[in-house]
Amino acid sequence: MRIVVTGGAGFIGSHLCERLIAKGNEVICVDNLFTGSENNIKQLLDNVHFQFIKHDIVQPLFIEEKIDQIYNLACPASTVQYQLNPVHTIKANTLGVINMLGLARKHGARILQTSTSEVYGDPAVHPQPEEYHGDVNPVGPRACYDEGKRVSETLCFDYHRMHGLEIKIVRIFNTYGPRMAFDDGRVVSNFIIQALKNEPITIYGDGSQTRSFAYVDDLVLGLIAMMNSKKEITGPINLGNPGEKTMLELAKQIIALTDSSSKIVHQDLPVDDPRRRCPDITKAKELLEWNPTVPLEEGLKKTITNFKTRLSL
Ligand code: NAD
Ligand code: UDP
């Protein structure tokens, strides 16, 4: 199959491209390199089955070769990065998604849209099932991403209803692993870098807020399972690891795994920071026969090893 992966030079996208190439596909990676890097895909650049197009999906994309599938991951994902240019973040999730839906329609291709657990906002229902419609502040600093992703889901369903387009929507919960950018400000990358450098570990608020962390290899298998599921399965479907942790527990675990002398310091909690987050993955288990298998400790160890190498420690 010929498969387009937008955001393919990013953290999750680069792992997805590798996996799709390994399965014998032709992959066209489309990325504007805003948060991604050619370094993430350097191992693929010489592969004749891999093509890289530097392009911003906010602009229309024309591809003449027949495309079978599109994975749309193009959007900055970390709180720090998607707030750098909030208007562009909204454009990626509206104009950009319309462009990719149009491309899918032109080719009769199936499209998978990567939505997010952020559509649940600060959830009043716990753990979060797909039926929960969320509690999002539409005017806060996270809204460019949260509301943007909510509109992206709406657009997919409207193209599906109006044009019969085959759509797949996944709501990804916090994912971590090798190749996370150093400067993305996400909790796993921040804590690992701080711990490896024996610098203070910055916990925002009292650290009682929770997240549930999926290892990137598990997530990528979930994306591929969803893309290749029966036509009737449109989603939205949650993909994540239901193992829930407080940020204080995570900090202590990373300090222990890195044998670090870092001390914990507390800083202000960002505006609208969700208090807890945990996926209900009943649907993914039943419909996709997908289940995350990498325990947090094992995934963190692999991630720490990757960060040590990249930091030359
Ligand atoms: P990332 O920032 O590493 O990857 C995003 C990629 O998209 C980058 O390579 C970036 O350069 C590219 N990009 C951004 N805007 C673009 C545009 N307008 N045109 C073309 N390329 C563009 O983030 P990630 O963690 O790999 O996330 C990938 C996708 O998964 C995102 O859509 C994100 O919203 C979603 N997601 C990720 C997580 C997570 O925990 N990592 C959780 C929920 C959802
Ligand atoms: N966080 C933290 N210290 C950091 C970075 C993040 O305590 O150095 C907290 C953040 O406030 C949030 C959680 O960790 O409660 C997860 O943050 P991240 O940005 O990784 O993901 P998101 O909030 O988008 O789920």
Side-chain angles (χ1 to χ4, degrees), residues 6-14 30-37 40 55-59 72-78 81 88 91-93 96 113-118 145 149 170-176 179-181 184 186 219:
T6 76
F11 159 52
I12 297 175
S14 60
V30 177
D31 201 299
N32 68 352
L33 301 182
F34 177 51
T35 53
S37 146
N40 287 337
H55 177 86
D56 190 318
I57 64 157
V58 168
Q59 305 302 327
N72 188 35
L73 281 75
C75 175
S78 85
Q81 289 166 327
H88 202 81
K91 283 186 182 173
N93 285 309
Q113 169 63 16
T114 53
S115 185
T116 170
S117 54
E118 294 276 337
Y145 183 74
K149 289 286 186 179
V170 294
R171 292 181 178 155
I172 302 175
F173 283 64
N174 298 63
T175 301
Y176 70 99
R179 292 193 203 134
M180 292 179 87
D184 67 10
R186 292 192 244 205
L219 196 272

Side-chain angles (χ1 to χ4, degrees), residues 113-120 129-134 149-150 153 157 169-174 219 223 235-240 279 281:
Q113 169 63 16
T114 53
S115 185
T116 170
S117 54
E118 294 276 337
V119 300
Y120 300 121
E130 290 84 352
E131 292 73 24
Y132 175 53
H133 291 170
K149 289 286 186 179
R150 288 169 69 95
E153 294 193 10
F157 266 91
I169 297 174
V170 294
R171 292 181 178 155
I172 302 175
F173 283 64
N174 298 63
L219 196 272
L223 295 178
I237 233 168
N238 289 337
L239 290 182
I281 56 166

Side-chain angles (χ1 to χ4, degrees), residues 148-205:
K149 289 286 186 179
R150 288 169 69 95
V151 173
S152 79
E153 294 193 10
T154 311
L155 283 166
C156 288
F157 266 91
D158 285 336
Y159 269 73
H160 175 64
R161 282 185 288 253
M162 277 181 74
H163 304 300
L165 194 70
E166 288 188 34
I167 57 156
K168 306 277 173 186
I169 297 174
V170 294
R171 292 181 178 155
I172 302 175
F173 283 64
N174 298 63
T175 301
Y176 70 99
R179 292 193 203 134
M180 292 179 87
F182 290 149
D183 59 352
D184 67 10
R186 292 192 244 205
V187 68
V188 172
S189 42
N190 270 10
F191 285 2
I192 289 180
I193 293 170
Q194 291 162 347
L196 288 174
K197 293 184 170 177
N198 295 308
E199 291 172 356
I201 303 271
T202 53
I203 288 192
Y204 303 157

